[in-house]
Amino acid sequence: LGNSQMGATIVDALDTLYIMGLHDEFREGQEWIDKNLDFSVNSEVSVFEVNIRFIGGLLAAYYLSGQEVFKIKAVQLAGKLLPAFNTPTGIPWAMVNLKSGVGRNWGWASAGSSILAEFGTLHMEFVHLSYLTGDPVYYNKVMHIRKLLQKMDRPNGLYPNYLNPRTGRWGQHHTSVGGLGDSFYEYLLKAWLMSDKMDTEARKMYDDAIEAIEKHLVRKSNGGLTFIGEWKNGHLERKMGHLTCFAGGMFALGADGSRDDKAGHYLQLGAEIAHTCHESYDRTTLKLGPEAFKFDGGVEAVAVRQNEKYYILRPEVIETYWYMWRFTHDPKYRQWGWEATQAIDKYCRVSGGFSGVKDVYSSSPTYDDVQQSFFLAETLKYLYLLFSNDDLLPLDNWVFNTEAHPLPVLH
Ligand code: DMJ
């Protein structure tokens, strides 16, 4: 999140404080933002991360509390991101310097490509920015991205994770519902929901995308666990990331309104993904899920490589429990959420907060000494909602951005 003091944890946690009724702490955060949050810094930031954590966080805080300062800061910050769209195609750079406006991409991303989950996860926030300011510039930027994607051929109907912003061509043919792809699919569905189901173009793109995903990426393991693998140049890698576990909730959220009235099917698919992800937690020593797990050569829902055994306080599995709870009220989802709560409290709590752990299979785990801002924005919020009544942020009126910041449906 850049090399200057941006206060990510304060901004990301604001709406969680508000929802939990921690109003004194919320006011302290507001005061800090009012006095200290300054975006004219010489810092290179990720357009995607700043959008989902800062703009999403500020917009949600504004909608919940009505305090103008949050709206003003969100709009100021969005203005600083706009130079990232100055590319030959209008597909934004991954990174932008907040002061100079100079953008660039990562060299590792298929020879300097932009990433699907990054440029495809701006829509909700940008639509709200145009709605709040009356300035179409934000809306036009994200609709331009959509139009460009619609015109492109997709190998096997799948969206590759990389797109070159200079040439407008796909990079490496790698498709995933986990990292690099994930929230692009989520935002197609949520664009439709957020528009009060008027944006049928987004719904169609979502339906087309998940049909191809189900055909090519969703499989059942020998032990009967449904998983979502990764597609790499025509080959299916039988590995699923913790990040991919959000898809259980997405399938459930998209069940209503699905093509050919397959609501029951998608709710069932959501339940199967939730079950698989719960197994990935249950098969560890700490009862916390690894970053990635395999379904290969007798291995089922277990991490194989040492560098995939960590848990960094991620929310996706709990997010899926919460959506499944809202749609089914099956008590097992609260039970699973409680198991995760106890494990986090037991193994991740440290004197200054909570920390990620390096190996969920070790009985004496070491800490990574980081409390990710999404722990307060997402993990604790979804847990809180899981044990709250459905009338707290009803899904008919609110759509959560990919960082769990609730934005109102635009009726
Ligand atoms: C969060 O910043 C968001 O949920 C994002 O979509 C994916 N990664 C993290 C949480 O794991």
Side-chain angles (χ1 to χ4, degrees), residues 12 48-49 52-53 117 121 179 182-183 186-187 242-243 246 291 312-316 319 372-375 378-379 382 401-404:
D12 227 3
F48 159 78
E49 297 290 1
I52 65 168
R53 302 189 200 211
T121 310
D182 49 7
S183 43
E186 176 184 353
Y187 271 36
H242 191 288
L243 289 162
F246 92 97
E291 181 67 4
I312 56 169
L313 305 169
R314 284 199 194 279
E316 292 76 17
E319 175 181 348
Q372 303 278 346
S373 75
F374 52 68
F375 177 63
E378 298 196 68
T379 312
Y382 285 131
N401 91 338
T402 193
E403 188 79 0

Side-chain angles (χ1 to χ4, degrees), residues 196-208:
D196 205 12
K197 307 189 178 172
M198 301 301 282
D199 185 354
T200 48
E201 183 180 79
R203 175 77 217 203
K204 182 182 179 309
M205 287 173 78
Y206 171 76
D207 286 334
D208 289 344

